[in-house]
Each structure stands twice: as C-alpha cells, then as structure tokens.
Amino acid sequence: MSAIVVEGGSRLAGTVGVLGAKNAVLKEMVASLLAPGRHHITNVPAILDVELMCRVLEHTGAKVTLENHELWVVVPDEPEPVAPIELVRQMRASIVVLGPLLARCGVARVALPGGDDLGARPIEWHLGGLEQMGAEFELVHGELVGRVHGRLKGAEVELPFPSVGATENLLLAAVLAEGETRIVNAAREPEIEDLVSHLGEMGAEISGGGTSLVTVRGVESLSPADHRVIPDRLEAGTYAVAGAITGGDVTVTGCRPEHLRMELRKLEEAGCEVGRGDGWLRLAGPERPRAVDFATLPFPGFHTDMHPQLVALLAVASGTSVITENLYDARFRYVGELARMGADITVEAQHAVIRGVETLSGCPVLAPDIRAGAALVLAGLRAEGVTEVGDAAHIDRGYEDFTGRLASLGARVEHVEDAS
Ligand code: EPU
C-alpha cells in the first residue's frame, strides 16, 4: 500500500500551477469515440484516472499516447463497443462510454458499475434518458447490453436531478442522434460546458451548454478536434486550502477562480484573505479560521468535492460549524479518520457538526476516496507530529504529483510506496 507521510507545522507559501480538470478530460477522452481518426487533447493531467480511461479507450481498439500533458487518441472506423468489468470497477466514470458507443455502433456492452467509495451511485437516469432516445437495455451476467434499431432519436429528457454523468451520457449520445434532443434540468458544471465546447469543435450542434436546458441537434457525423481542457477547479481549491490551513499564503496559477465562487466565499467567511484575477487566485489563511456553515449542491452551489478539504480547515476553527452533504450517502466516511487526529465532529444523517479544536495530532489514517484523502493530507499539514495517510492511490486518481506540488510550497511531505 502506498502512503503520503506529512510532518505538520510548516507554513505553506509560494505559487503552484494546476492542470486540466479530471472530470472534464475523462469525458472528453470518451467523446473521441464519436469520430474515427486522430484526436488531440492538451492540458491533460498525468493521473491514475486518465491512465484508466486510456485503458478503456484501448479496449475499444483506439491507440492512445499521453506525453507531456498532450494526449492523442486514434479511433478506428469500427470500435469494439465494450467496457469490461475490470476497468469499470476501477473507474465508475467509464459508464459514459454507453451513450457514444450506442450512437456510433448501435450496440454497447458495458459492465454495470456497482457502488463505490461514495455510496450506491445508481445510473437509472442515464438509462432512462437513453431509452427515451430509442435504446433498449438488458442485464446479462452483470453486463448492460444496450441496442438501438437504426439510429438513436432525439427526445426531450427531463432529469429528476441535475446529474453530471447523466447529462454527459445523454449529450454524448444526442450529438449523433436523428433530430433534436432537449436535456431539461441538465447539470451546469463548467466541465460540462467544456465538453460542449469540445463537441462543438468536433462539429456537433449544441446550444445552452452550462445551463439547465441543453439543446442538441443531431448530425450525421463528427470529426476529430484539437482541444485544451479547462483547469481543474478542485485541484486549485485543494492547494488554496492547503495554504490556508497552515496560516500560509498560496497563489494558484492556471486556474479559473470564477469556477470556485461559492467555495471562495465560504473561505472568506472563514477568515481567509482571497485575491483573484485572470487565471490565478491567492489565499492567505488566518492564524485560526472561524467556523462557517455550508451545504453542498450542484454547480453553482458549494461543490461536494471540496467538502472534505473545507471540513479539515473547520476542524481547527474557532467555533462550531454545521455542514450538510446533499450529493453522496457515504461522503462522511473520512470523519472517523479525522477524529483519530483529534477533530471533534458528530455526524447525523447528511449533517455534520464540527466543533473546532485548537490542535490536531498526527497519526496513521486511511484515505477513503480522492477528496477525503487529500483532506487528510491537509489536516496533517496543520497537525502536530507525523500523519501517515494510507491508501494514497485514491489521491493519485485525481492529483498529479500531489506531494511534489505541496513540497514546492514548503510542506514536509513524501509519497512512500510499500508503507505498512
Ligand atoms: N444519481 C442517481 N441516479 C443516476 C445518476 C446519479 O441517483 O442515474 C445520484 C448519484 O448517486 C449522486 C447524485 O445523483 O448522489 C449526483 O451524481 P452525478 O451523476 O451528478 O455525479 P457523477 O457524474 O457520478 C461527477 C464527478 C464526481 C462529482 C459529481 C458531482 C466525474 C468522473 N465524477 O460524478 O467527482 O462528485 O459529478 O459533482 O465527473 C471526484 O472527482 O472526486 C468525484 C467524485
């Protein structure tokens, strides 16, 4: 098992750059399946999830090369429309191949993703929308087999909740469908807006990307494009909080502060000094943060994937914070680990009450998922002594060279393989 070992007590200062957004690039890689030929994507982070998505694409017969944050995907004329369980199990986001494979090949065999670190995570809205467009599904030995007779047909699909994955799956299917598709109550995340731009560069006709109503006029075919991925707002937010939790002063470059509006507002309420400009943001942390309350919501609300990092900060705040998690059943699994470090947090259903303590003390903890893992490292930066965050592979899924970047800001931190 790999671990990240942190020695607390350093004040972080300096400048750190971020790369392209994990949750945009993964879907943009899948978008390449919509057109044969050579696709080029830049600003691609070298993270575990991107590597896994390369395997998913290779399984369909694509040739993939990733070098210096540039990715080339060469898609064959007739992709193999299959995503096997060993890949889907490792990365649930693989399910977004369903829509494009159905649109392109008329058939798709994709392993049904089970739940994961964050809870049950069903996909009935993805399937319901694709069924409205004419797809039929059956579950055969754990594999979803989808078929379309002829071409997918445009439809009006109203999502019960603005699901990111369902919006993306439907978009990726609708671009090659016959006629017009309207996705009502679509997710408005910046990563979806970026996917819409990328699809537009490939020749798709889409309006309303980044709003609650996305309209797609299906076209006969698409062509490969050259696309630069938007910056990762979660990576940027994580480094900003890393500085703040140590009372430090960190500038993040290559990012878009307008994608972190709600999160920065809460950090300001917590006593951080926030500066922002075109492509950068700066966060200076107070000696001790103040308690704040927040609730996670789809964009433009407070992002669930910034929740654990903020809780790490509030664990050492003066006063009591109350937070509500509205996206995931199992997001609070890391709270027990923070409690081992001395945090005083009570969880009741989707609410947590955080009574700020003066100090945390380092100890061995386990990362239950990407963001909680990052948050435990941040807590370790503030804690007295040494914190060893085990199961660090979770963190590697979403952050390129997390320890190197933190060390460049003055953290005493290292990534160890074969930890106990
Ligand atoms: N949901 C259903 N049925 C569905 C689809 C979703 O009940 O058919 C529920 C989910 O179980 C969840 C909620 O709706 O409770 C929201 O899920 P959504 O579909 O919006 O999330 P996702 O597409 O599965 C993406 C990101 C997550 C991020 C969420 C929310 C990727 C690869 N993943 O997941 O990112 O938390 O949107 O913004 O884009 C991460 O990066 O650490 C991460 C977990």
Side-chain angles (χ1 to χ4, degrees):
M1 178 175 78
S2 64
I4 291 180
V5 181
V6 198
E7 196 180 331
S10 307
R11 184 181 167 275
L12 267 53
T15 299
V16 65
V18 295
L19 289 154
K22 167 178 88 71
N23 291 345
V25 73
L26 293 176
K27 326 307 166 59
E28 291 168 4
M29 291 170 76
V30 168
S32 65
L33 292 172
L34 290 163
R38 194 163 192 260
H39 302 251
H40 184 217
I41 308 178
T42 56
N43 202 25
V44 177
I47 53 177
L48 208 53
D49 272 10
V50 164
E51 247 176 63
L52 285 169
M53 192 56 92
C54 290
R55 301 293 86 77
V56 172
L57 295 180
E58 280 167 356
H59 205 88
T60 68
K63 299 236 171 334
V64 186
T65 322
L66 175 61
E67 227 177 81
N68 296 328
H69 305 128
E70 282 190 68
L71 181 80
W72 284 267
V73 183
V74 182
V75 175
D77 287 336
E78 291 185 18
E80 183 71 23
V82 177
I85 186 63
E86 59 273 21
L87 293 172
V88 178
R89 195 171 264 151
Q90 289 182 74
M91 189 181 52
R92 203 186 153 280
S94 321
I95 192 67
V96 292
V97 299
L98 200 55
L101 287 178
L102 277 172
R104 181 85 201 284
C105 312
V107 57
R109 287 179 25 225
V110 178
L112 184 68
D116 70 355
D117 316 321
L118 295 169
R121 307 187 74 183
I123 55 160
E124 78 279 20
W125 304 331
H126 303 229
L127 302 184
L130 292 168
E131 277 168 354
Q132 272 187 263
M133 298 174 73
E136 287 170 5
F137 294 100
E138 58 177 334
L139 188 61
V140 184
H141 304 299
E143 193 178 56
L144 269 172
V145 182
R147 283 197 184 80
V148 199
H149 302 290
R151 214 170 140 195
L152 286 168
K153 305 250 177 330
E156 176 159 315
V157 181
E158 189 170 345
L159 294 174
F161 180 88
S163 152
V164 171
T167 303
E168 292 163 341
N169 231 334
L170 294 171
L171 252 174
L172 289 163
V175 286
L176 286 181
E178 193 182 323
E180 190 176 280
T181 299
R182 285 156 57 88
I183 309 173
V184 182
N185 198 23
R188 292 181 281 164
E189 264 63 11
E191 292 76 19
I192 294 189
E193 206 176 337
D194 196 49
L195 174 64
V196 165
S197 312
H198 187 178
L199 290 167
E201 288 150 13
M202 292 173 70
E205 293 183 19
I206 306 172
S207 60
T211 76
S212 302
L213 175 63
V214 181
T215 305
V216 184
R217 193 188 301 273
V219 294
E220 296 274 339
S221 63
L222 296 165
S223 346
D226 197 329
H227 182 78
R228 183 177 170 83
V229 185
I230 51 157
D232 197 312
R233 58 190 162 126
L234 302 168
E235 196 191 4
T238 303
Y239 293 123
V241 178
I245 202 170
T246 66
D249 189 341
V250 165
T251 298
V252 184
T253 55
C255 66
R256 302 265 296 268
E258 64 274 26
H259 292 163
L260 280 167
R261 240 182 235 138
M262 191 58 75
E263 295 77 8
L264 292 176
R265 187 198 289 185
K266 289 293 165 186
L267 285 161
E268 262 170 336
E269 277 179 35
C272 300
E273 202 183 298
V274 179
R276 65 195 99 190
D278 189 15
W280 62 271
L281 74 87
R282 178 184 155 225
L283 215 72
E287 193 72 7
R288 192 165 178 206
R290 287 192 294 270
V292 293
D293 300 339
F294 69 88
T296 63
L297 284 170
F299 189 81
F302 191 100
H303 201 314
T304 178
D305 293 339
M306 280 301 295
H307 143 176
Q309 300 89 316
L310 217 74
V311 168
L313 181 83
L314 298 178
V316 291
S318 58
T320 299
S321 311
V322 179
I323 71 148
T324 302
E325 168 58 45
N326 287 311
L327 276 289
Y328 294 121
D329 311 340
R331 176 113 264 179
F332 284 121
R333 280 176 45 206
Y334 69 94
V335 161
E337 301 299 295
L338 262 188
R340 301 192 68 239
M341 299 177 72
D344 181 355
I345 306 179
T346 316
V347 176
E348 187 65 51
Q350 79 265 41
H351 307 288
V353 176
I354 305 146
R355 293 174 200 85
V357 295
E358 295 250 352
T359 48
L360 295 172
S361 70
C363 66
V365 288
L366 288 178
D369 65 76
I370 307 178
R371 310 302 167 188
L376 289 166
V377 174
L378 303 194
L381 291 170
R382 173 80 182 212
E384 286 173 354
V386 175
T387 302
E388 183 177 311
V389 183
D391 275 348
H394 282 295
I395 302 172
D396 302 336
R397 290 186 56 183
Y399 297 88
E400 182 183 309
D401 192 18
F402 192 49
T403 48
R405 283 183 163 76
L406 289 173
S408 75
L409 296 169
R412 280 169 294 179
V413 59
E414 58 175 339
H415 202 293
V416 230
E417 294 307 323
D418 303 320
S420 53

